[in-house]
Amino acid sequence: MNQPHRLLIVSYRLPFTMQQTANGLVMRQNSGGLVSAVLSMAERMGQPDSDQRAKIHWVGHADPALRQLDASAFENESFVAHPVFMDEAVHKGFYEGFSNDTLWPLFHY
């Protein structure tokens, strides 16, 4: 029996934002082009003779306030998120400092 292919993505951000509410965790998928393209590609990677599709495993930064949640909370019908929690100082220094102030202008001049 053929198994669906598995896709693992490592990026700075997860494909959705997560917010803890009184009713539990709410996951909202980002509307960016990368997420849409990945979902489209993942659909094509499934078994050709079935509708079965492997979930996409995505590693990325998440809000440290969500650190206490069970790992199963970071999964929906399309994705299994593997959040990376970092200190705010590291986040600001890397993302807002080095990435946005140095790398972005260098490669988008």
Side-chain angles (χ1 to χ4, degrees), residues 6-98:
R6 179 173 295 163
L7 180 61
L8 172 65
I9 298 174
V10 179
S11 68
Y12 190 74
R13 292 187 184 133
L14 290 173
F16 40 76
T17 56
M18 298 171 279
Q19 296 176 324
Q20 184 67 45
T21 68
N23 297 328
L25 186 69
V26 175
M27 295 171 43
R28 291 190 177 89
Q29 186 172 307
N30 295 339
S31 59
L34 177 59
V35 175
S36 298
V38 166
L39 283 173
S40 178
M41 182 178 69
E43 288 174 4
R44 292 188 186 117
M45 288 174 55
Q47 296 179 6
D49 56 351
S50 76
D51 293 332
Q52 185 179 7
R53 166 169 61 111
K55 290 187 178 183
I56 300 162
H57 288 255
W58 199 305
V59 179
H61 175 260
D63 183 351
L66 303 172
R67 188 183 306 250
Q68 302 302 321
L69 294 176
D70 185 72
S72 64
F74 297 98
E75 185 172 347
N76 67 14
E77 62 279 351
S78 301
F79 297 104
V80 177
H82 302 276
V84 174
F85 302 107
M86 64 181 81
D87 294 330
E88 185 62 25
V90 173
H91 169 69
K92 286 181 91 59
F94 170 73
Y95 186 73
E96 294 177 14
F98 180 67

